[in-house]
Amino acid sequence: MAAFRFAASCLSIGLRWLAMLPLRLLRALVGVVRSAAGRGRPEPHAVARARILLCMIVFGCVYLTIAGRLAMFASAPDGALARRGVASDAVASARPDILDRHGLVFATDVKSSSLFGEPKRLIDVDEAVEALSAVLPDLDVGELRKRLDSNRGFVWLKREITPQQQREIHNLGIPGIGFMTENRRVYPGGNLGAHVLGSVNIDNQGIAGLEKWVDSRGLADLHLAGFASDRQQEPVELAMDLRVQHVLRDELFAAKEKFKAIAAAGTVVDVRTGEIVAMASLPDFDANDPSGALNPKALNRLTTGVFEMGSTFKALTFAMALDSGRFSINSTLDARGALHFGKFRISDYHAENRVLTLPEVFLVSSNIGTAKMALALGVDAHKAFLKKMGQLDRLRTELPESAAPIVPKRWGDLNTATIAFGHGLAVAPLQAVMAVNALVNGGYLIPPTFLKRTPEEVQELSVRVIKPETSAKMRYLLRLNAEKGSAKKANTPGYYVGAKTGTAEKVVNGRYSKTKLLTTFTAVFPMDDPQYLVLVMLDEPQAVEGTYGYATAGWNAAPTTGQIISRVGPLLGIMPRTDLPPAESLLNDYKIAQAQ
């Protein structure tokens, strides 16, 4: 600041001096010029005055130039002078904060010092190398010497040094060694939301996740143009809730350990808007150390992985059947014998060997009954319905990382029969979540998002895919399954949960393995006014004490989901109730509403 005042003072004095120049001195100068051009010889005293004036003008211009440069240097932001020496070396520029839906910080910038050198100003390279390597023992001495012993005007020596290291290097007093203040990205939550947030490189530029998406929205262009430095930018407000994110990851971690699974994943989504409130995939990594993302086991299984979703997919088949009008809640299906397609045989895990009502097919999760419904409608109708539900195309969200579904190249009756109960079609789990949302929210397919949405945006993006009465029937079936079926272990008291289990055998060496399972559980609450969906996935869970030798979804993913609902319900503003009506009331209430 003192330098700035000095420069401003110098500039003011110079301007006043120029304003006071006598007119006759200027005329004398003109006379000198004319004399030089051979237009007459002026008097000696006039020549002297002109020469003095010329010297004053020259020195005045130099004086003003120096003052102007001092003013510019004094007003420049920290590190701007050093940047002038940077050619191809990038500088870590500023990024906008990333906040959760309540304004809590997911990601922010902090100022940190970086060490640079100006080889042309160094007096003794060997001395500089020895002194710097003593303070920074992790530096490669050979590389350090190579950088300093060059003709370059600017070289990076180490990015993001600690304040203690900066003080020690400053005290060395080495000419040609300086510091630049840069922006460094930090993630206060560490592992919380790491897959969603992504990461940045050493130059603070997004390379994955939402950080990369932010750059794609124009920040990268600002970086390249040099306008993003120390620039205050509007924060990015997510739909995610940091508190719910903590609960979700905590419960998934506990389930992964308890059931000895190799991985776990889950999400909490608002079924009315498509907003993703929380998402976690384990193993994960600390966002402050993005090298952990390179671990192939640390992929985001919800968007970059594709899986056969097992019986969770049966809910889509039931919705298709009911929406077609060919089947009703009172329909029956013969499940007394297995289905045969050449050498392939489709049977039930717990065979009832009897004629089942449509709700019973759902409760006992009958493969036979579900396959027969799909086959009755035909291959083309089945494909068209899944296409409409967004299951045959790559799902696009703000995350750049996404995987395309694996769809059969030749789709015949056998494919329709197996896909009906969740085998033979692999999708990103978030795709399945999007479809189940439509089954319970009144029939609207809404693309999922990590950002907040207004009601107007929701209305614009929503596409009706099933009838309102079909949605009411699906809510009834899902609630009935939590009361009497395979989802009872997630029937969290007071939250009126509706759910569907899913257990899929993983493909190993081209064959389905009986011992390696992927268990999924999809729950919605409260079913009389659906607001949130919770999905839990466990990869290769094991039978443990208390599961009686079972490793299916009802014994591991279901109780995990129940724990999550009981903890996040109050955080989302949904308190437990005591006056829970029976599942049948969902159908009756809809009929009454329609009659009115």
Side-chain angles (χ1 to χ4, degrees):
M1 194 64 186
F4 181 79
R5 287 197 295 268
F6 172 73
S9 175
C10 293
L11 186 60
S12 176
I13 293 171
L15 291 174
R16 286 200 302 269
W17 181 83
L18 281 178
M20 294 171 61
L21 283 175
L23 182 60
R24 61 178 180 272
L25 292 180
L26 293 176
R27 289 174 178 172
L29 179 62
V30 171
V32 172
V33 173
R34 292 179 62 188
S35 175
R39 297 184 179 180
R41 182 177 181 83
E43 297 179 2
H45 67 276
V47 174
R49 286 198 303 268
R51 288 175 178 174
I52 293 172
L53 177 60
L54 182 61
C55 291
M56 292 174 67
I57 291 175
V58 171
F59 281 107
C61 291
V62 173
Y63 188 80
L64 287 174
T65 301
I66 294 173
R69 294 287 287 177
L70 284 173
M72 183 190 70
F73 292 161
S75 61
D78 291 344
L81 304 183
R83 288 190 185 101
R84 296 179 180 276
V86 181
S88 60
D89 299 276
V91 177
S93 301
R95 302 183 64 81
D97 288 349
I98 298 180
L99 311 177
D100 86 335
R101 66 186 306 114
H102 301 295
L104 299 177
V105 177
F106 266 118
T108 189
D109 279 355
V110 297
K111 299 294 183 181
S112 67
S113 293
S114 292
L115 182 67
F116 69 87
E118 296 173 286
K120 291 182 178 180
R121 293 184 54 208
L122 282 176
I123 298 173
D124 190 330
V125 174
D126 292 332
E127 179 185 0
V129 170
E130 183 179 353
L132 292 175
S133 58
V135 179
L136 303 171
D138 57 324
L139 286 180
D140 185 320
V141 176
E143 179 64 23
L144 177 62
R145 186 182 302 277
K146 179 180 178 182
R147 284 173 175 257
L148 293 178
D149 193 13
S150 67
N151 293 322
R152 298 182 63 185
F154 179 96
V155 291
W156 284 118
L157 301 180
K158 184 173 175 60
R159 309 289 282 272
E160 299 176 6
I161 62 175
T162 67
Q164 177 64 28
Q165 290 171 334
Q166 182 180 6
R167 284 192 295 271
E168 292 181 13
I169 295 173
H170 175 75
N171 292 335
L172 293 174
I174 306 174
I177 299 298
F179 308 97
M180 183 184 298
T181 301
E182 294 191 282
N183 297 286
R184 180 167 64 90
R185 201 64 162 169
V186 295
Y187 304 88
N191 294 62
L192 290 180
H195 283 105
V196 176
L197 298 172
S199 54
V200 298
N201 60 18
I202 191 66
D203 298 316
N204 222 27
Q205 297 171 339
I207 56 175
L210 286 176
E211 295 283 22
K212 186 174 181 179
W213 175 82
V214 169
D215 279 26
S216 71
R217 305 288 290 180
L219 184 61
D221 295 332
L222 288 176
H223 276 294
L224 292 174
F227 296 128
S229 304
D230 302 317
R231 187 185 180 93
Q232 293 298 322
Q233 302 167 57
E234 289 296 320
V236 177
E237 297 182 0
L238 302 185
M240 296 179 67
D241 188 320
L242 191 59
R243 304 166 305 166
V244 177
Q245 181 71 27
H246 169 74
V247 171
L248 177 66
R249 185 182 184 279
D250 186 52
E251 292 294 339
L252 288 175
F253 185 84
K256 179 176 175 291
E257 296 298 308
K258 178 178 180 180
F259 299 108
K260 302 176 182 178
I262 64 172
T267 188
V268 179
V269 182
D270 190 325
V271 303
R272 302 159 297 179
T273 65
E275 294 174 337
I276 299 169
V277 180
M279 177 182 286
S281 181
L282 303 176
D284 57 9
F285 58 95
D286 186 341
N288 296 295
D289 181 17
S291 62
L294 301 177
N295 182 356
K297 295 181 180 179
L299 80 154
N300 185 354
R301 285 169 166 75
L302 295 165
T303 59
T304 58
V306 292
F307 305 92
E308 295 182 354
M309 297 298 292
S311 294
T312 302
F313 237 58
K314 288 177 182 174
L316 302 185
T317 306
F318 274 76
M320 176 183 68
L322 292 169
D323 204 60
S324 70
R326 293 278 300 274
F327 294 86
S328 70
I329 290 294
N330 300 317
S331 297
T332 58
L333 293 126
D334 188 351
R336 289 176 292 183
L339 295 177
H340 294 274
F341 294 86
K343 63 178 181 178
F344 297 100
R345 179 175 180 270
I346 295 175
S347 59
D348 287 339
Y349 186 66
H350 291 295
E352 293 286 321
N353 294 314
R354 61 185 178 90
V355 175
L356 303 172
T357 64
L358 187 140
E360 287 177 331
V361 173
F362 197 81
L363 293 180
V364 301
S365 200
S366 170
N367 294 339
I368 297 170
T370 307
K372 283 189 173 182
M373 282 192 294
L375 290 169
L377 297 177
V379 171
D380 291 338
H382 191 204
K383 289 174 66 175
F385 183 79
L386 293 179
K387 177 79 171 179
K388 180 173 65 173
M389 300 300 286
Q391 303 304 293
L392 304 185
D393 300 303
R394 184 192 299 267
L395 176 65
R396 300 291 186 180
T397 66
E398 292 81 12
L399 296 189
E401 304 83 15
S402 64
I406 301 176
V407 182
K409 293 182 179 179
R410 296 180 180 179
W411 192 319
D413 287 343
L414 176 60
N415 302 99
T416 280
T418 58
I419 292 172
F421 55 84
H423 284 74
L425 174 65
V427 300
L430 194 58
Q431 280 184 276
V433 167
M434 175 180 65
V436 176
N437 283 348
L439 303 187
V440 298
N441 69 8
Y444 293 98
L445 190 72
I446 307 173
T449 180
F450 292 92
L451 306 177
K452 286 184 177 180
R453 273 188 182 143
T454 64
E456 293 74 22
E457 290 172 332
V458 173
Q459 186 174 5
E460 182 180 348
L461 292 169
S462 301
V463 177
R464 179 172 288 286
V465 287
I466 60 173
K467 303 169 187 173
E469 54 267 33
T470 303
S471 180
K473 293 171 184 176
M474 290 307 303
R475 292 198 294 270
Y476 160 70
L477 291 175
L478 289 165
R479 174 57 190 166
L480 190 66
N481 196 39
E483 287 183 1
K484 304 177 181 179
S486 58
K488 287 186 290 186
K489 292 188 180 298
N491 190 17
T492 310
Y495 285 99
Y496 208 49
V497 176
K500 185 70 185 80
T501 55
T503 302
E505 297 173 348
K506 294 179 67 176
V507 177
V508 179
N509 298 325
R511 302 176 64 88
Y512 286 105
S513 170
K514 298 292 183 182
T515 58
K516 295 186 176 183
L517 305 176
L518 178 75
T519 63
T520 61
F521 194 84
T522 308
V524 179
F525 68 102
M527 288 310 296
D528 52 352
D529 180 24
Q531 296 184 44
Y532 296 98
L533 177 148
V534 179
L535 171 73
V536 168
M537 293 175 52
L538 295 176
D539 195 349
E540 296 186 23
Q542 304 299 309
V544 298
E545 183 179 356
T547 64
Y548 306 99
Y550 293 105
T552 50
W555 292 96
N556 44 59
T560 302
T561 306
Q563 284 290 105
I564 293 171
I565 292 174
S566 66
R567 292 181 62 183
V568 304
L571 297 177
L572 296 170
I574 302 176
M575 303 305 294
R577 297 148 47 192
T578 56
D579 57 335
L580 299 181
E584 287 72 15
S585 68
L586 295 173
L587 289 178
N588 296 333
D589 291 345
Y590 179 77
K591 291 176 182 177
I592 293 172
Q594 288 297 102
Q596 294 175 345

